[in-house]
Amino acid sequence: MDKIVGHTPPKPRLTSLRLLLAAVLLVVALATYYSATLNWGHAGSATVPINAAQIVQKCQTLNILPRPPNDFDQRIQSDRFETGTPPTLFRNASIWTGRVSGHEVIVGDLLLDKGIIKEVGQVKRGVLDAYDDLVVIDAGGAWITPGIVDLHSHLGVDSAPALQGASDTNSLKGLVLPWLRSLDGLNTHDDAYRLSISGGITTANVLPGSADAIGGQAFTIKLRPTSERSASSMVLEPPHTLNGTQVDLSLPPRWRQMKHACGENPSRVYSGTRMDTIWAFRQGYDSARRIKEKQDDYCRRALHGQWQDLGEFPEDLQWEALVDVLRGRVKVHNHCYEATDLDGIVRLTNEFKFSIAAFHHAHETYLVPDLLKKAYGKTPAIALFATNARYKREAFRGSEFAPRILAEYGLSVVMKSDHPVLNSRHLLHEAQQAHFYGLPDNLALASVTSTPATVLGYDHRIGFIKQGHDADVVLWDSHPLSLGATPKQVFIDGIPQIRSPHTSAKPIAFQRVPNTPDFDNEVKETLQHDGLPPLETKISNPGTVIFSNVRSVFLRRGKEIEEILPPADVAGAFAAVVVERGNITCIGTLLDCSSFQDSPGVERIDLEGGSISPSLISYGSHLGLNHIDGEPSTNDGQVNDPLKSNSPPILGNGNVIQAVDGLQFSTRDALIAYRSGVATGVTAPSSSGFLGGLGTAFNTGLGHRLQSGAVLQDITALHVFIGSSKPSVSTQMAALRNLFSGTGEGKLGACFGDILSGKLPLVIKVQSADIMASLISLKKEVEVQSGTRIQMTFSGANEAHLLAKEIGDAEIGIILQPSRPFPGTWKSKRILPGPPLTKDNSVTALTAYNVTVGVGVEEQWSSRNIRFDIAWAALEANGSLSKSDAIALASVNLERLLGIQNPITDLIAVKGGTLLDFEGKVVGVISPQRGVVDLLV
Ligand SMILES: *[C@@H]1O[C@H](CO)[C@@H](O)[C@H](O)[C@H]1NC(C)=O
Ligand SMILES: *[C@@H]1O[C@H](CO)[C@@H](O)[C@H](O)[C@H]1NC(C)=O
Ligand SMILES: *[C@@H]1O[C@H](CO)[C@@H](O)[C@H](O)[C@H]1NC(C)=O
Ligand SMILES: *[C@@H]1O[C@H](CO)[C@@H](O)[C@H](O)[C@H]1NC(C)=O
Ligand SMILES: *[C@@H]1O[C@H](CO)[C@@H](O)[C@H](O)[C@H]1NC(C)=O
């Protein structure tokens, strides 16, 4: 796997290039003189154009590949240096440099000055004495990495908050638009720059969207604010063509970046097919090829002094960027998922002879590595999500094992955000997950630093910690591959980016690379089944199962979770936990529980220092209703919004839809959730309008509704949503007030009767603090009138921290969704970002006022990650939330907030660690209710 460090081609010396040019010019001048003399007096003869020298220079440089100037690594100041930035010295840091295929770690010092890295290792006294304004940071052994590089982002073009005036991702003016430039829409006021920097992101490749086959040119930017405050000043190594068409040809060209997309998106946007998209590519490339051939022909003649009828250099501003692709001077970033699309593009590259820098999303690449190697030129890198998959057909076979499998085939792996699809602030978490599922640690760290820097062609200045590189570095509070790793400080061009960073103390174990589980079998199954390994439970054991080597057991005690550390035996082995017919009957040393050893057919499972804990609940997505979000035929579909249109008369007046009637079992997301410690799903009917309907609670691991234990509770709570502006928010409030007044008809009226009497909880999806404040008022008003207490929960609740006290006083519960906030819309803009930007996160801010807090998800695929979300929330709390509190966030608390009446008793057996770390692997679900242990092998 040495592929990761880019091979730098030998650099021709600029001086020799100049000499060559001078020689050529001399020849041209002589030829000009000679031919002018010779042709004197001959009518129709070739006249040498007066700009012959420029033409020759242009032709000479036409095929020069981008590279840094020869003396680049001798620079003593960055072109991005901001005057007044003081030099900084880190002492005693563990520096992951990205070099030696990501294997090099230097424990020592790091000196930044003039926007570049001056020295790495042991910095001599003499060097330091020369500074009088040196900032010294004692890293105390903490990890430092290069700044994180996001190969695939829409920062600034798909801005936060999303506003109609700031949607500059996709032009819909045609399938092939290589002349467009993302920089022309770059919003310098996107709220996300600061947030992403706080996650250690220093550089992002800002791509146009994927609506078109060729959506336009991308630009790689540094995220920090510049003194000029312009979009252009954010660009890293702006291509010379950015400024105008007259380029100083004595400078080596700089890399350009371009977006391509195939598959579903262009087909959908243009009501076309894959055939149309590939034809559009071929047509576009054919136009570029014709121009390129004319240019090459022109230059052949010009360089041979054949000026006769030569005319103008053939050029076309619309096509010049695509011609540059054919000249190998553009890094092509191709959004492309499926084997069929990858195949089409590999053929295209061979037909037109250009190479792809990276396939992005690329969910099926791990199934066709040999095909990828047939791409023209350099084998493309693969830029992936870790676990975001199954949202449309082309993502259905996406696998968490893809990074590992691709790396094993020798392909370069990049983890990317597609920001704001994933919040790029947490791009490192993608690398962490890839590592969890088997990508080696050196490659996992490289996948968000040195590999993307190399793919972009900027590895001479970013992505590595190396003398002379840009001073973009991150000082971490824990090992960057450990869960919740957070920057203590982020430097871009040597400038510290976080004004007064807040850091939490992290467990000692989090200072090293996590010892991740063995997924060899899962990988084999995935490949064997063409990306769709069977996920159903194969073994349900109704007998006796003895778990040995159990380090910790978390059990519910009423409304809380309690951690018990059972006694180890004399030999040092951890405890045994005996389960009979799904019930725990003994926790103790093997000796304590010896009476169970002889039960017939007893099954023994070594948890290797692992744990047993309550199963988690997934709430907030369409889990159990949808197989593939983008495919209506696979889903339950959306309910009617009674505020927008009348419901069909056949439904009767005041009908309320029940999610339980739309449940679909064995969706892949549900089965994966089950295998990730989430045995219960709570789902409301899908709705984008005011009234959702009645939620339901179901088992994520079972096969159909009629199986015992499949539906835990038919009806849990009534769900409504307040926040869209059609019709107005105030109209939605009026509807709610009206329903509270007891005028609702039919079943809806009955539901509100139950809500008023406190029997049925009302879960309101709401993000804005202003709307929450109105709802708190309404709740008081209604409760005074009725003399009862309403059970009310806000889900979403990005802005809830602004009303923590009022929400606590009103006894309203909160489900944070997403668990780590993002200012995606105006109404969810005022987030509490958490460390390192603020001391508190929303969980700690709300629990300080005794608010019951739960954690939800937004999309089905992320149910599997709830275990990590809750652990992360607690890790940010600097010790104020225990592991038990973390588990409560997605178990007992959600039960209460969502109206689950009978406690969920399922327990999860985790090998090697807990649900809350990257060492634990879920191996079983213990179900007292069903009287079995499901063994997840
Ligand atoms: C570096 O930091 C580590 C961890 O805090 C500490 O044990 C060690 O003594 C420090 N070394 C020096 C040279 O300060
Ligand atoms: C753009 O033009 C200005 C003025 O000529 C020059 O200072 C600047 O360096 C140019 N930028 C690029 C990217 O070529
Ligand atoms: C976190 O806790 C440690 C003590 O455990 C304390 O020194 C530090 O200041 C705390 N950090 C924050 C941001 O409160
Ligand atoms: C939260 O609850 C605890 C224990 O009941 C109580 O002591 C404390 O005053 C409460 N805090 C607030 C802010 O209400
Ligand atoms: C498990 O224990 C519970 C009570 O602790 C009991 O109600 C249930 O019947 C037991 N299940 C089996 C299969 O023994």
Side-chain angles (χ1 to χ4, degrees):
M1 251 85 57
D2 291 341
K3 290 247 152 169
I4 222 68
V5 172
H7 170 70
T8 320
K11 301 168 181 174
R13 310 229 96 222
L14 192 60
T15 43
S16 56
L17 182 68
R18 287 221 174 95
L19 276 178
L20 177 70
L21 277 175
V24 169
L25 293 183
L26 184 66
V27 170
V28 171
L30 286 175
T32 307
Y33 174 76
Y34 184 60
S35 62
T37 316
L38 257 187
N39 292 323
W40 183 262
H42 295 259
S45 67
T47 27
V48 176
I50 49 171
N51 63 341
Q54 281 104 311
I55 291 173
V56 166
Q57 189 184 16
K58 184 165 192 135
C59 289
Q60 282 293 344
T61 54
L62 207 52
N63 290 310
I64 292 182
L65 292 181
R67 58 182 168 73
N70 285 326
D71 51 359
F72 188 82
D73 55 7
Q74 271 121 54
R75 66 188 179 147
I76 52 168
Q77 177 170 323
S78 171
D79 51 351
R80 305 184 51 82
F81 177 62
E82 298 262 7
T83 325
T85 309
T88 302
L89 176 74
F90 300 89
R91 284 211 176 281
N92 192 17
S94 304
I95 305 164
W96 183 87
T97 66
R99 303 176 72 168
V100 198
S101 303
H103 286 297
E104 183 183 70
V105 172
I106 294 175
V107 178
D109 308 331
L110 175 62
L111 178 62
L112 314 178
D113 185 27
K114 300 264 188 305
I116 62 173
I117 294 170
K118 281 281 172 194
E119 284 200 43
V120 192
Q122 299 305 324
V123 182
K124 296 228 169 61
R125 252 232 116 74
V127 175
L128 299 178
D129 288 347
Y131 293 105
D132 51 12
D133 55 348
L134 186 67
V135 177
V136 180
I137 297 173
D138 181 1
W143 288 93
I144 289 184
T145 65
I148 292 175
V149 179
D150 192 353
L151 191 69
H152 187 136
S153 177
H154 304 292
L155 254 174
V157 291
D158 200 344
S159 300
L163 294 170
Q164 286 183 25
S167 176
D168 283 297
T169 329
N170 288 300
S171 162
L172 301 183
K173 301 211 170 202
L175 269 169
V176 172
L177 308 168
W179 44 88
L180 300 187
R181 308 190 288 196
S182 68
L183 186 63
D184 293 329
L186 192 79
N187 171 13
T188 54
H189 306 295
D190 189 328
D191 279 2
Y193 292 121
R194 166 176 166 268
L195 296 168
S196 293
I197 289 171
S198 80
I201 318 295
T202 54
T203 302
N205 190 38
V206 179
L207 293 154
S210 50
D212 309 324
I214 302 185
Q217 297 158 45
F219 289 82
T220 306
I221 59 167
K222 292 255 190 124
L223 269 50
R224 73 170 169 89
T226 64
S227 50
E228 192 180 286
R229 304 187 199 216
S230 66
S232 291
S233 62
M234 297 172 80
V235 179
L236 178 71
E237 300 213 336
H240 303 306
T241 43
L242 186 59
N243 242 353
T245 36
Q246 294 307 318
V247 170
D248 179 351
L249 293 171
S250 71
L251 298 170
R254 292 169 166 182
W255 284 109
R256 307 172 76 178
Q257 317 285 334
M258 191 183 285
K259 177 72 179 280
H260 283 16
C262 39
E264 291 187 29
N265 289 9
S267 298
R268 192 171 60 238
V269 171
Y270 290 94
S271 316
T273 64
R274 288 182 157 81
M275 298 184 286
D276 295 296
T277 303
I278 294 286
W279 169 244
F281 271 122
R282 294 182 67 215
Q283 206 173 21
Y285 271 103
D286 190 47
S287 304
R289 177 168 63 182
R290 284 166 194 272
I291 295 169
K292 176 178 179 286
E293 281 170 357
K294 278 192 200 136
Q295 290 175 348
D296 289 346
D297 187 47
Y298 179 98
C299 282
R300 209 171 298 121
R301 291 165 61 197
L303 292 177
H304 283 93
Q306 298 165 3
W307 298 106
Q308 189 159 8
D309 301 329
L310 199 54
E312 294 275 301
F313 181 75
E315 252 178 323
D316 186 333
L317 191 54
Q318 272 203 316
W319 294 105
E320 62 80 27
L322 206 58
V323 172
D324 244 10
V325 172
L326 296 178
R327 296 203 181 282
R329 309 208 280 195
V330 183
K331 302 283 191 176
V332 175
H333 299 278
N334 194 166
H335 158 125
C336 205
Y337 284 80
E338 280 192 78
T340 182
D341 301 313
L342 297 162
D343 190 56
I345 294 294
V346 165
R347 275 188 269 111
L348 186 78
T349 64
N350 285 300
E351 181 178 358
F352 293 95
K353 312 226 175 317
F354 67 97
S355 66
I356 301 285
F359 282 122
H360 293 235
H361 302 307
H363 276 49
E364 292 192 7
T365 46
Y366 72 99
L367 295 171
V368 291
D370 295 330
L371 167 68
L372 305 176
K373 290 176 185 174
K374 289 186 182 166
Y376 182 83
K378 196 171 181 333
T379 299
I382 309 300
L384 301 160
F385 292 132
T387 47
N388 184 355
R390 293 171 293 285
Y391 41 90
K392 48 183 168 171
R393 185 192 93 166
E394 58 190 9
F396 194 57
R397 287 163 204 260
S399 170
E400 61 274 38
F401 305 113
R404 164 186 165 165
I405 295 168
L406 288 162
E408 282 170 358
Y409 277 108
L411 286 130
S412 294
V413 173
V414 172
M415 304 310 293
K416 54 95 172 82
S417 74
D418 194 9
H419 179 100
V421 171
L422 297 184
N423 177 357
S424 69
R425 179 179 175 188
H426 304 309
L427 176 55
L428 183 64
H429 188 44
E430 296 300 289
Q432 293 167 354
Q433 292 173 70
H435 177 244
F436 178 71
Y437 292 110
L439 184 68
D441 60 337
N442 59 316
L443 300 182
L445 283 176
S447 75
V448 289
T449 54
S450 38
T451 310
T454 305
V455 171
L456 288 164
Y458 301 134
D459 49 326
H460 56 285
R461 62 184 299 168
I462 60 169
F464 295 83
I465 293 187
K466 198 170 168 181
Q467 198 173 359
H469 270 50
D470 286 14
D472 298 351
V473 300
V474 186
L475 176 67
W476 298 96
D477 68 357
S478 48
H479 188 281
L481 291 178
S482 70
L483 183 61
T486 302
K488 289 176 149 179
Q489 188 52 278
V490 180
F491 291 79
I492 304 181
D493 300 319
I495 307 166
Q497 296 295 313
I498 306 170
R499 202 157 293 158
S500 45
H502 299 268
T503 19
S504 305
K506 291 292 170 71
I508 299 286
F510 282 51
Q511 297 302 334
R512 54 166 174 75
V513 180
N515 183 13
T516 54
D518 176 352
F519 289 107
D520 288 354
N521 254 335
E522 286 82 351
V523 169
K524 215 179 292 162
E525 289 259 298
T526 299
L527 289 173
Q528 225 165 52
H529 292 90
D530 219 11
L532 299 176
L535 299 169
E536 288 79 5
T537 303
K538 290 180 202 107
I539 305 167
S540 285
N541 191 324
T544 302
V545 178
I546 302 180
F547 294 99
S548 60
N549 243 326
V550 184
R551 190 194 298 255
S552 61
V553 180
F554 297 83
L555 295 173
R556 45 186 309 149
R557 293 270 179 266
K559 290 177 172 178
E560 305 204 327
I561 306 287
E562 187 180 80
E563 180 177 14
I564 52 174
L565 298 168
D569 68 19
V570 278
F574 294 109
V577 173
V578 178
V579 180
E580 293 179 289
R581 280 168 283 118
N583 272 351
I584 292 185
T585 48
C586 181
I587 302 180
T589 62
L590 272 178
L591 197 65
D592 295 338
C593 299
S594 61
S595 57
F596 303 94
Q597 306 268 6
D598 305 325
S599 317
V602 59
E603 173 124 25
R604 288 161 209 281
I605 295 167
D606 184 352
L607 286 189
E608 297 174 5
S611 69
I612 289 175
S613 55
S615 106
L616 307 178
I617 299 170
S618 173
Y619 167 72
S621 72
H622 306 305
L623 192 71
L625 293 179
N626 290 9
H627 283 269
I628 304 174
D629 272 356
E631 288 295 338
S633 70
T634 74
N635 303 337
D636 181 51
Q638 294 242 323
V639 300
N640 198 55
D641 178 7
L643 270 186
K644 280 192 198 145
S645 56
N646 289 330
S647 88
I650 194 172
L651 281 175
N653 284 337
N655 209 328
V656 183
I657 306 305
Q658 307 181 158
V660 68
D661 294 329
L663 279 182
Q664 305 193 70
F665 284 80
S666 289
T667 66
R668 293 189 74 78
D669 284 313
L671 294 173
I672 292 170
Y674 194 69
R675 292 174 165 266
S676 311
V678 180
T680 304
V682 175
T683 299
S686 306
S687 163
S688 56
F690 168 72
L691 182 65
L694 293 161
T696 189
F698 62 97
N699 180 300
T700 55
L702 291 175
H704 60 78
R705 182 177 172 174
L706 302 179
Q707 261 174 302
S708 157
V711 175
L712 300 170
Q713 191 176 318
D714 285 40
I715 288 171
T716 49
L718 186 74
H719 294 257
V720 300
F721 166 49
I722 300 192
S724 84
S725 45
K726 275 186 198 164
S728 72
V729 168
S730 38
T731 306
Q732 296 162 50
M733 290 297 299
L736 199 57
R737 182 176 282 112
N738 184 47
L739 289 166
F740 273 130
S741 73
T743 53
E745 292 177 289
K747 195 164 162 193
L748 188 55
C751 281
F752 271 83
D754 287 346
I755 290 169
L756 273 174
S757 64
K759 275 192 270 180
L760 184 70
L762 178 63
V763 179
I764 305 173
K765 186 168 180 196
V766 54
Q767 294 283 9
S768 150
D770 287 308
I771 302 176
M772 287 185 225
S774 293
L775 286 165
I776 292 170
S777 295
L778 178 62
K779 178 172 185 279
K780 274 192 201 136
E781 183 188 313
V782 170
E783 286 178 342
V784 166
Q785 273 166 22
S786 67
T788 56
R789 296 295 279 174
I790 297 170
Q791 295 183 61
M792 191 180 277
T793 296
F794 294 157
S795 78
N798 253 9
E799 297 191 348
H801 64 100
L802 295 173
L803 295 171
K805 180 176 183 322
E806 290 78 6
I807 289 169
D809 290 347
E811 292 178 26
I812 291 171
I814 295 291
I815 300 175
L816 296 168
Q817 185 199 358
S819 63
R820 293 176 295 283
F822 182 71
T825 64
W826 190 266
K827 291 191 179 83
S828 62
K829 183 173 155 57
R830 294 172 292 175
I831 63 167
L832 184 65
L837 295 174
T838 58
K839 178 172 170 295
D840 274 308
N841 62 21
S842 285
V843 178
T844 57
L846 290 161
T847 47
Y849 287 96
N850 293 337
V851 177
T852 301
V853 179
V855 156
V857 298
E858 294 194 297
E859 293 175 86
Q860 295 87 275
W861 61 267
S862 51
S863 298
R864 71 180 317 153
N865 294 332
I866 292 171
R867 50 179 294 201
F868 301 133
D869 296 339
I870 56 178
W872 195 335
L875 283 163
E876 285 185 343
N878 204 27
S880 74
L881 293 179
S882 66
K883 288 182 184 175
S884 300
D885 295 334
I887 292 171
L889 292 174
S891 57
V892 284
N893 293 5
L894 280 184
E895 272 177 37
R896 239 192 306 170
L897 297 169
L898 292 168
I900 294 175
Q901 277 144 16
N902 295 321
I904 294 168
T905 49
D906 289 347
L907 295 166
I908 307 296
V910 183
K911 194 184 216 169
T914 68
L915 282 179
L916 306 176
D917 53 59
F918 283 138
E919 326 227 309
K921 178 180 182 183
V922 172
V923 293
V925 179
I926 301 165
S927 174
Q929 192 217 357
R930 291 188 294 125
V932 296
V933 175
D934 282 347
L935 297 173
L936 303 174
V937 287

